[in-house]
Amino acid sequence: MKTFATYNIKGGVGKTASAVNLAYLASRDGYRVLLADLDPQAAASFLFRVRPRVKGGGKALIAGKRTIDAAIKATDFDNLDLLPADFTYRNLDLLLDAAKKPARRLTTLLAPLRADYDVIFLDCSPGISLLSESVLDAADTVLVPLIPTTLSVRTLDQLTDFIGGMNGHRPQILAFFSMLDRRKRLHREISLELPARRSDIAATAIPSLSLIEQMSVLRSPVTASAPRSRAAQCYRELWREARRRSKLPDPPSLP
Amino acid sequence: MQNALREFMLDDDQGAENIDALPLPGARFSWADGDRTRALRRTWLDTFDWRLYRSGLTLEQVSSRGMTQITLTGRDGEVIAAQQVSPRRSDAAGGPVKWPSLLGALPAGLLQEHLLPVVGVRALLPVARAVSRLSDKRVLNSDDKTVARVSLDRMSVTFPAAAAAPPRLSVRALRGYQAQASRLVELLAAAPGVTDGTQSALEAALAAAGRRAGDYSGKISVQLAPRMPAASALAAVLTALLDTLEANVSGTIRDTDTEFLHDLRIAVRRTRSALRLAGAVLPASLVRAFRPEFKWLGDLTTPTRDLDVYLLSFSGMAAGLVAGTDSELAPFRDYLLRRRAAAQRQLARGLRSARFSRLIGQWRTGLSEAAGGARRRPTAAQLAASRIARAHRRVIADGGAITAAAPAESLHELRKRCKELRYLLEIFGSLYDPAEQWQAVRELKNLQDCLGEFQDTEVQREEIRAFAAQMMDERAAPAATLLAMGEIAAGLAMRQREARSEFSGRFREFASPASQARIRALTRAAAA
């Protein structure tokens, strides 16, 4: 089992859009995929039309009273399940704080799912918090969407420093440019220049496209609703690159 | 295929066309098309005597879009083992898709491992073929989220007869939406034109084609009544034996597996025993005319079966070698295979002959006439009681006379007496309490196994000498092979000695007062 987290300290950079599309593409490749929506805004749950409610809320989940297993819902797509968000997740930090070894908590909770899933995506809320520490501990690869600006590159450095300071497990970082607007000179320059210089930035970039924004209207991954679109093509390239760079083993052959 | 939560049958194809018009009252569900429609070519496999079906297993080969997979499922549809076989490849790794085939023809793996203990030496043959046209529907909640998948299967059966099976619906719950799927199942169960699907797809395919799973068994399955005329009872049993015999002719001629011949021979032997032991209640002319014919048929089948027994036990014999090796025995095996091929040709010729078809046809007519003209006395129970008691007395008397110094011949004779008793218990078995009858047969079988081992090892040892001499004559026997054959002969002699030493103990058990009382009580109860 490999765990990917889509994460950025900043919000509104395309985390959920990438998590939803990459999770869908992974399931199409034949992996058994779970997408965990850890963001109380519940955007991923909304996109998959799953009601954002987990019995007992975040409290029961973190306390381990209710296993994650019972909360999981199938999406409309084969091989792709969702752990829905819950509004109580806004307090996850407080709940984690009360738990033993809070930074390891998510890793422990996900461990029993090893037999059921080949790939897990964690979609989490922005910011640096106990939850994000726990997410970084659970992830094998952190996918970091970046808007091609100087400032956002600084946040990548901050994250890299933070991970560098973690004890024990340190996830691999794979950043990629998101919401790339080719009409903007700065976007063009940064997105061309940086991947060539930095090995932690992917060669594939996701452009700013209205189809991606419309996902919230269609309530479906763009890779499923418009598989031939430019947006879908970019996500496929990004997934290929993430698969290769994270050394994800081939999916088990279908039974 | 994923496990279905529940299966339904639709009354007609019209319902299938308009499945999305099925009302789902009171629930905020709606129908949507699924993303797939596909055609599957399905072949269900089993042995001729339905060993898989009787063990609650289903083996199905499914081809779709150039891919072929064989799947073994259990009683609740759970997948036990599955294997991809590609239809274009005929090499060992690709596996055979030509049925019937023996199990060894499947690629080695989990599937073969699970099948072996059940299927044994029998061939797997198609028991039904069909084409399923599947279309998927989705059931949505008020958020337009899929909460259950429904697949509609319109199945055209192509074998054993062309027929259309009633359309089937299967409902699959999605993870986290079990409650909604259960509600959907309730609604469908109450919908007009929808009935609960209690049959499996295989059973439905067979029913459409006018057949029933498990409709063949080598056992005598005639239900006799104690007070029916003995001649009618005997004619009914003999007719059932004739059915079994006929059912196995084609598989024997085609040499599909060794057990067709085995079952055919058992039917012939039971027929001959019944005629010899109880034939007096049938018209004398009928018995007189057919006893020699059935002897001819029995003799016709003997050479092939003897060689089968050798070949079936070959790997066991080869494994028992201490000095010799497997490869040294190979010429012996080749020799046996050549002999068997020749014997099989003889046998097939005999079963295709006019004499054989005459025998079968006239015997059936003769039996139906005998059943019609039967006298009321003796009754079936009276005849059974007297014959079983006599056969039992003879086994007890002959066995009791065998001392440690008795010649081998006396044990061989006793084996024959035991067989007679066994056939009588089986032929008239339906007159008795099944548990008591089973216990009596079990006790007798224990003794028979010992006597069988004693005689078979002797016969095989004599045969191996004869084979060795013939192979020398044909210059087909390297010295190493003859030595290995000598070792096998020595092993057989040892086994025979062991069987001889076990005999007195086994016979004591059989002749115990409790066991004797059981046989007496059994026949008395039915004749009363």
Side-chain angles (χ1 to χ4, degrees), chain B residues 360-500:
Chain B
I360 297 299
Q362 293 178 351
W363 180 230
R364 195 174 285 283
T365 317
L367 285 175
S368 82
E369 284 166 8
R375 277 197 298 249
R376 288 180 53 209
R377 297 263 154 188
T379 63
Q382 286 167 340
L383 176 72
S386 75
R387 295 303 191 268
I388 289 174
R390 187 163 74 192
H392 184 241
R393 273 198 307 275
R394 288 184 69 178
V395 171
I396 297 289
D398 288 7
I402 293 176
T403 60
E409 203 45 49
S410 59
L411 276 90
H412 301 340
E413 279 304 311
L414 179 64
R415 186 188 185 193
K416 285 187 201 161
R417 301 288 84 77
C418 286
K419 274 188 181 172
E420 288 172 358
L421 177 58
R422 172 80 172 271
Y423 289 141
L424 287 167
L425 284 171
E426 285 170 349
I427 287 168
F428 295 115
S430 65
L431 292 171
Y432 306 123
D433 175 67
E436 289 291 309
Q437 190 255 6
W438 181 84
Q439 183 64 23
V441 168
R442 204 182 65 95
E443 286 168 353
L444 175 58
K445 188 176 175 299
N446 199 28
L447 175 62
Q448 280 185 293
D449 286 346
C450 172
L451 291 167
E453 172 86 352
F454 179 77
Q455 187 173 16
D456 290 347
T457 46
E458 181 174 302
V459 171
Q460 286 187 345
R461 205 173 38 154
E462 280 163 11
E463 273 175 349
I464 210 167
R465 282 167 188 274
F467 286 144
Q470 284 159 0
M471 286 171 76
M472 292 267 285
D473 286 349
E474 293 173 23
R475 298 177 197 279
T481 302
L482 291 175
L483 284 170
M485 287 168 75
E487 207 187 319
I488 288 180
L492 289 166
M494 209 130 80
R495 276 170 52 193
Q496 195 190 15
R497 263 206 303 279
E498 274 168 32
R500 182 71 179 86

Side-chain angles (χ1 to χ4, degrees), chain B residues 126-139:
Chain B
V127 289
R129 291 184 201 271
V131 176
S132 273
R133 285 189 311 282
L134 294 175
S135 36
D136 285 355
K137 300 279 175 190
R138 294 183 294 139
V139 175

Side-chain angles (χ1 to χ4, degrees), chain B residues 392 396 436 439-440 443 509-525:
Chain B
H392 184 241
I396 297 289
E436 289 291 309
Q439 183 64 23
E443 286 168 353
E509 275 170 40
F510 177 77
S512 72
S515 174
Q516 291 205 44
R518 185 189 322 281
I519 297 257
R520 276 197 297 274
L522 194 71
T523 53
R524 236 194 342 256

